[in-house]
Amino acid sequence: MALQTGAVSLLALGAQGHPTLRDGVHLRWNVDASRGFPPFGFDVFRRRHRHGTPVSLDFTGETPRVLPKLTTFGDTTWHTERYAPELDRVQIAPGTRTVFRPMGSAVDCRFDRTKGLVRRVELDITQWEVTQPNEPAKQLTIWGIAGDERVSSGSITIDHTSHRQVITVAVQGDALEGIQLWSGRYGILAMRWVFVADEADVGWGKPLNPMRIGFPVTAPGYRVRHAHSPDLGNGAQDWLEASDRMRLGLESSAGGLTPLLPPELALRFGPPRFADLRELMRKSLG
């Protein structure tokens, strides 16, 4: 998983009954080197996903017409380079409704930046691209846009069972400015979007970590203390902290904390080699 900017990413490994790893989900975080490491370290919070309160745009009550290549609906601006989109009446069980139809070229939709960035977009669509059981299913994709780049995507499979039905496709991102979609034999009935700021500060509680997360190192200006701080200058206390962390990682699901670091790990990472690793960490802190 990577955040939209790529500045922070993580790898997740689930373990259960592993001979050396604790049961649970192990996360390995990576930070873009150009961003450096924060002098106060990290806290980790967790909460259940919050859907937020979406803002809606409904096309079904619009008057059918051909639209300009650049047109605005509420807080959204729609743009296409070649063929003008249309508002068209189409048959959808059990009646007819107006839909927004991209015509022959890609369409960009941008949200009003003054209202904030967006984290999720949903489109209610109907399709007449795949109509018969013997026709192959297809993918309908929308892309999340930030600046001039596609940064995320969401897809839905369409087949004859969704012909003239209402189905929903969604895309998510850290900070979307808009969406992009290709033309096709489908129409958009409505769109909903949720702002990044909506419920962003709600429900986090206390940090999961009892102490700030950071390097097992003492360095000028680095404010993250560990259980053996402060180091007396020779790296001994920093090594004790690093050793404790490795022993904690070796705790098995069936037993407790490993009393001693295995000799092969102590030889590989401990003094005198730890001095080089410690210096590398100190340099990375600037």
Side-chain angles (χ1 to χ4, degrees):
M1 184 205 83
L3 298 181
Q4 184 172 299
T5 62
V8 180
S9 59
L10 69 86
L11 298 174
L13 174 65
Q16 185 174 11
H18 192 277
T20 57
L21 295 176
R22 299 174 63 186
D23 284 357
V25 179
H26 297 253
L27 303 179
R28 179 177 180 178
W29 293 89
N30 296 281
V31 180
D32 187 335
S34 65
R35 297 296 184 96
F37 294 88
F40 290 93
F42 297 91
D43 283 322
V44 176
F45 296 83
R46 179 175 59 188
R47 69 171 184 178
R48 291 187 179 276
H49 173 67
R50 304 185 73 93
H51 295 284
T53 303
V55 180
S56 299
L57 173 63
D58 191 343
F59 293 109
T60 59
E62 293 285 337
T63 301
R65 60 190 185 274
V66 176
L67 297 168
K69 293 181 180 179
L70 180 66
T71 188
T72 299
F73 289 94
D75 294 331
T76 65
T77 299
W78 302 71
H79 175 254
T80 182
E81 291 289 345
R82 298 184 62 189
Y83 302 101
E86 296 181 2
L87 291 170
D88 195 11
R89 297 290 288 183
V90 299
Q91 183 72 36
I92 306 172
T96 61
R97 283 182 267 182
T98 302
V99 298
F100 179 99
R101 289 186 59 188
M103 303 293 290
S105 58
V107 173
D108 282 0
C109 169
R110 299 286 175 151
F111 302 105
D112 184 349
R113 282 293 304 270
T114 66
K115 300 295 179 65
L117 298 170
V118 170
R119 59 183 168 96
R120 180 177 173 85
V121 183
E122 296 179 348
L123 297 180
D124 290 340
I125 67 168
T126 189
Q127 65 88 16
W128 50 95
E129 180 82 27
V130 184
T131 64
Q132 301 297 322
N134 61 343
E135 293 182 283
K138 296 184 178 181
Q139 292 286 307
L140 192 152
T141 300
I142 59 175
W143 290 271
I145 303 295
D148 295 324
E149 296 184 13
R150 294 174 175 176
V151 295
S152 60
S153 65
S155 299
I156 190 172
T157 300
I158 55 175
D159 59 21
H160 74 282
T161 63
S162 61
H163 176 221
R164 303 283 181 183
Q165 303 296 314
V166 179
I167 55 178
T168 301
V169 58
V171 63
Q172 300 184 93
D174 306 327
L176 302 179
E177 298 175 16
I179 60 169
Q180 185 181 81
L181 55 158
W182 286 102
S183 62
R185 295 175 61 81
Y186 68 90
I188 304 170
L189 291 86
M191 180 170 71
R192 296 174 296 279
W193 61 96
V194 179
F195 291 109
V196 173
D198 188 12
E199 298 187 329
D201 298 327
V202 179
W204 289 106
K206 296 181 179 180
L208 301 180
N209 46 294
M211 298 180 64
R212 279 288 175 94
I213 297 172
F215 287 134
V217 68
T218 304
Y222 193 51
R223 305 297 182 88
V224 182
R225 297 178 59 84
H226 55 69
H228 299 278
S229 294
D231 189 88
L232 300 181
N234 60 2
Q237 285 71 35
D238 288 348
W239 165 242
L240 288 175
E241 174 65 18
S243 176
D244 285 351
R245 295 185 187 187
M246 285 190 283
R247 290 193 299 117
L248 183 62
L250 292 172
E251 181 183 352
S252 69
S253 58
L257 184 65
T258 305
L260 295 174
L261 192 66
E264 62 273 18
L265 292 182
L267 181 63
R268 182 177 179 183
F269 297 108
R273 293 189 175 184
F274 181 70
D276 293 334
L277 294 173
R278 181 172 180 264
E279 184 59 24
L280 180 63
M281 288 186 283
R282 287 166 63 95
K283 287 182 178 179
S284 69
L285 296 171

